[in-house]
Amino acid sequence: MLIIRNEDFEQLSVFDQLLPKSCLELKGELAVVDKILDDESLLAPFIEKFNSKCGRHSTPVDTYIRMMYLKFRYNLRYETLCKEVSDSISWKVFCHIPVCAEVPDYTTLAKLTKKFGEDTLEKLNTLILQKALEKKLIKARKIRIDTTVIKSNIHHPTDASLLSDGVKVLTILVKKVKDAGMAVKGKFQDRTRSVKKRILNIVKFAKNRNNEAKESVRKNVKELVEITKDVLHSANKVLTMAKDEIKKVKNKQKSSQAALIQKLDDAISVVSKIINQTNEVLKGNTSIPDRIVSIFDQGARPIKRGKAKAEIEFGRKVALAESEEGLIISSRVEEGNPCDKTLAVLMVKKSIEVLNKAPEEVAADRGFYSSENEREIQGLNVKHVAIPKPGKKSEKRLKHERQHWFKRLIRWRAGGEATIGLLKRKYGFDACLFHGENTGIWVNLSIFSYNVTRLAKLMVQTC
């Protein structure tokens, strides 16, 4: 991919020259954000990784960055984002797109996001924070650490719904394989209608709590298992035929056909695991390690948070470190639900790498406490570590936690909940709409938009 910058589009069009200057001037928050993103050094991570002297022109990196800012700042989908930028002169000016030029297609933006990846976007966030430190917009003398769950974009999983999803996916993939000209003679019966009938029966009986209703639900689930086994057996035959046929194929379509076969192979593997875990549940074993909760996001885990709104959430845990100015200094996406105390030292070390200095004070809730964590964090040149000890405390510990600086930091730490709430409400942090393995990309883009907005407010306040 050939990386290009906005200077390739400096020539003004007739429309740009005819429009009043007031139409081309940015105002309010966008004007301040434009100044922050004007720094060409922010393009360094993208140029370092993807710059090339050959290849066709792609979307300018600075245009991509600005469009991603708008997407997460206003919580827009790709299609909506492109329509809004097309309809707004000020947004086009902000994104460095000439008024008469076309906005990049939403599919291009989606592909670029996946191509740039988590590491590049994390470096972008680090550069923005380091520039803010250099300009003395932030001091980052103290940080507070907390965790939250970013939910996967999946429905609530049940054994019946997982089996239903498996049958649907296998049916769609087999149809695509056949439409591509492979395993045409392979027999495969569409059983989605039969599955739908069983699901409707389960929904009807699940409303009742008596033993007869429970037995009816078990019976329907067992029937679903048998139907899914039949579909899986037929799909396996189609897969075997397709694999034999593709060995003889020598044309340009071979790569796309091989990709389809691989998708079918992966789906068969997942559905067989779902059948096995459903059989275990029917036997009475409800404690299954690494249980699949979605065929579409196999990395999503059930995480018990004890919240009134949702006791169990399905997704990934995210650890955040926030400075006293309200900027997210560092983040870390964890698969599953690791104990908070295992993340405390890692988050402080990561914050030190980003800031190139150790914070003076660190605060976290009692879930991060361990005596080793306190010692290790203090060993990183941190003056004050405020992490309350859970359970019964000695007189010495009580005296330590009653100090003025300790109580001050604990009160300040509580404000981190508000920041997480803001991220979830306005910056897309509530649920990741990317595929599971791309959760880190979503998190970094959300934090990028939040940090830039926060920096713009700080710049206005200091002026």
Side-chain angles (χ1 to χ4, degrees), residues 141-401:
R141 289 175 181 170
K142 54 183 179 181
I143 63 170
R144 52 191 175 198
I145 303 168
D146 207 348
T147 57
T148 186
V149 174
I150 183 162
K151 293 182 287 188
S152 294
N153 188 29
I154 59 175
H155 60 72
H156 187 87
T158 61
D159 294 317
S161 67
L162 287 172
L163 291 168
S164 173
D165 289 342
V167 171
K168 287 176 186 175
V169 169
L170 288 176
T171 304
I172 290 167
L173 287 174
V174 167
K175 187 175 184 303
K176 284 184 177 180
V177 167
K178 286 177 171 288
D179 289 344
M182 298 177 290
V184 178
K185 295 181 180 179
K187 292 183 179 180
F188 186 86
Q189 185 180 356
D190 189 338
R191 301 294 301 276
T192 52
R193 191 175 175 184
S194 302
V195 169
K196 187 177 178 180
K197 285 181 181 178
R198 269 70 179 184
I199 293 292
L200 289 172
N201 287 335
I202 289 169
V203 172
K204 183 172 68 175
F205 288 117
K207 294 177 183 178
N208 299 323
R209 300 277 179 168
N210 55 41
N211 292 329
E212 289 182 11
K214 289 179 181 177
E215 192 57 41
S216 298
V217 169
R218 284 177 60 83
K219 182 185 174 183
N220 279 286
V221 171
K222 285 179 181 177
E223 288 176 2
L224 274 175
V225 169
E226 294 304 316
I227 291 170
T228 310
K229 280 182 180 178
D230 291 342
V231 172
L232 189 69
H233 181 67
S234 301
N236 257 316
K237 285 185 176 180
V238 171
L239 178 67
T240 305
M241 289 179 69
K243 282 182 176 179
D244 292 338
E245 288 176 14
I246 200 169
K247 291 176 184 177
K248 305 171 186 177
V249 175
K250 292 181 181 179
N251 56 27
K252 294 179 181 178
Q253 294 181 345
K254 187 172 182 179
S255 58
S256 61
Q257 290 175 340
L260 267 177
I261 290 172
Q262 186 60 49
K263 282 183 181 179
L264 180 59
D265 198 359
D266 294 341
I268 287 170
S269 175
V270 177
V271 173
S272 62
K273 288 179 184 177
I274 291 170
I275 291 171
N276 291 335
Q277 73 183 26
T278 306
N279 285 329
E280 287 295 316
V281 172
L282 289 170
K283 290 175 186 176
N285 179 21
T286 55
S287 180
I288 303 170
D290 299 326
R291 186 172 183 168
I292 294 171
V293 296
S294 173
I295 194 170
F296 308 105
D297 186 1
Q298 295 163 45
R301 308 298 330 132
I303 301 174
K304 191 171 183 178
R305 300 286 289 172
K307 303 290 182 183
K309 189 178 178 182
E311 189 178 352
I312 297 176
E313 295 173 298
F314 299 91
R316 291 163 179 80
K317 179 180 273 191
V318 181
L320 301 171
E322 182 190 357
S323 72
E324 71 265 34
E325 294 87 5
L327 273 80
I328 306 298
I329 302 299
S330 60
S331 64
R332 185 181 174 91
V333 180
E334 295 288 339
E335 296 288 335
N337 189 18
C339 184
D340 284 356
K341 67 175 69 175
T342 62
L343 303 173
V345 178
L346 291 172
M347 291 305 296
V348 176
K349 285 181 177 178
K350 196 170 182 181
S351 299
I352 292 170
E353 287 177 14
V354 172
L355 299 170
N356 292 322
K357 66 168 188 174
E360 294 177 9
E361 298 175 318
V362 172
D365 63 30
R366 64 185 70 248
F368 290 90
Y369 177 82
S370 76
S371 54
E372 290 181 11
N373 281 349
E374 279 193 334
R375 283 197 300 272
E376 283 191 50
I377 293 171
Q378 285 171 345
L380 297 170
N381 295 324
V382 177
K383 186 179 178 182
H384 291 148
V385 180
I387 308 176
K389 182 182 178 181
K392 192 174 180 180
K393 302 170 187 177
S394 64
E395 285 296 324
K396 185 180 177 182
R397 183 69 196 181
L398 284 170
K399 187 178 178 181
H400 174 71
E401 292 190 10

Side-chain angles (χ1 to χ4, degrees), residues 444-460:
N444 277 290
L445 282 170
S446 178
I447 289 171
F448 155 71
S449 183
Y450 169 77
N451 278 350
V452 171
T453 306
R454 187 67 190 155
L455 274 175
K457 290 178 182 177
L458 290 172
M459 286 177 71
V460 172

Side-chain angles (χ1 to χ4, degrees), residues 1-274:
M1 183 178 67
L2 182 60
I3 296 287
I4 52 178
R5 304 174 179 82
N6 63 326
E7 52 259 30
D8 295 300
F9 297 98
E10 280 182 358
Q11 187 175 356
L12 293 174
S13 68
V14 176
F15 295 101
D16 292 320
Q17 293 172 0
L18 290 174
L19 282 170
K21 286 186 178 180
S22 58
C23 292
L24 301 174
E25 288 178 0
L26 296 172
K27 297 174 184 177
E29 184 184 280
L30 280 183
V32 185
V33 172
D34 182 62
K35 288 180 182 177
I36 295 170
L37 299 180
D38 257 346
D39 193 338
E40 284 200 4
S41 63
L42 298 179
L43 308 180
F46 300 90
I47 295 169
E48 181 186 342
K49 191 171 182 180
F50 295 103
N51 196 26
S52 173
K53 293 181 179 178
C54 59
R56 63 186 179 86
H57 286 284
S58 182
T59 303
V61 176
D62 57 344
T63 296
Y64 166 79
I65 291 172
R66 287 157 187 269
M67 290 190 76
M68 286 299 102
Y69 167 79
L70 292 173
K71 171 178 165 55
F72 281 84
R73 175 66 181 89
Y74 298 101
N75 215 2
L76 304 171
R77 293 180 177 272
Y78 282 119
E79 299 96 321
T80 312
L81 170 69
C82 293
K83 286 177 184 176
E84 292 292 334
V85 175
S86 297
D87 293 341
S88 172
I89 293 175
S90 60
W91 277 24
K92 271 196 168 185
V93 172
F94 174 75
C95 294
H96 292 176
I97 301 172
V99 176
C100 62
E102 289 187 7
V103 173
D105 191 70
Y106 70 91
T107 56
T108 303
L109 294 177
K111 288 173 184 175
L112 283 175
T113 301
K114 196 172 181 180
K115 198 177 189 78
F116 289 143
E118 183 181 351
D119 294 341
T120 308
L121 295 167
E122 193 171 346
K123 286 177 184 176
L124 173 65
N125 283 330
T126 301
L127 278 172
I128 288 169
L129 290 167
Q130 288 173 351
K131 293 292 177 184
L133 272 172
E134 288 173 13
K135 294 175 181 178
K136 297 184 179 178
L137 289 170
I138 62 171
K139 295 178 181 178
R141 289 175 181 170
K142 54 183 179 181
I143 63 170
R144 52 191 175 198
I145 303 168
D146 207 348
T147 57
T148 186
V149 174
I150 183 162
K151 293 182 287 188
S152 294
N153 188 29
I154 59 175
H155 60 72
H156 187 87
T158 61
D159 294 317
S161 67
L162 287 172
L163 291 168
S164 173
D165 289 342
V167 171
K168 287 176 186 175
V169 169
L170 288 176
T171 304
I172 290 167
L173 287 174
V174 167
K175 187 175 184 303
K176 284 184 177 180
V177 167
K178 286 177 171 288
D179 289 344
M182 298 177 290
V184 178
K185 295 181 180 179
K187 292 183 179 180
F188 186 86
Q189 185 180 356
D190 189 338
R191 301 294 301 276
T192 52
R193 191 175 175 184
S194 302
V195 169
K196 187 177 178 180
K197 285 181 181 178
R198 269 70 179 184
I199 293 292
L200 289 172
N201 287 335
I202 289 169
V203 172
K204 183 172 68 175
F205 288 117
K207 294 177 183 178
N208 299 323
R209 300 277 179 168
N210 55 41
N211 292 329
E212 289 182 11
K214 289 179 181 177
E215 192 57 41
S216 298
V217 169
R218 284 177 60 83
K219 182 185 174 183
N220 279 286
V221 171
K222 285 179 181 177
E223 288 176 2
L224 274 175
V225 169
E226 294 304 316
I227 291 170
T228 310
K229 280 182 180 178
D230 291 342
V231 172
L232 189 69
H233 181 67
S234 301
N236 257 316
K237 285 185 176 180
V238 171
L239 178 67
T240 305
M241 289 179 69
K243 282 182 176 179
D244 292 338
E245 288 176 14
I246 200 169
K247 291 176 184 177
K248 305 171 186 177
V249 175
K250 292 181 181 179
N251 56 27
K252 294 179 181 178
Q253 294 181 345
K254 187 172 182 179
S255 58
S256 61
Q257 290 175 340
L260 267 177
I261 290 172
Q262 186 60 49
K263 282 183 181 179
L264 180 59
D265 198 359
D266 294 341
I268 287 170
S269 175
V270 177
V271 173
S272 62
K273 288 179 184 177
I274 291 170

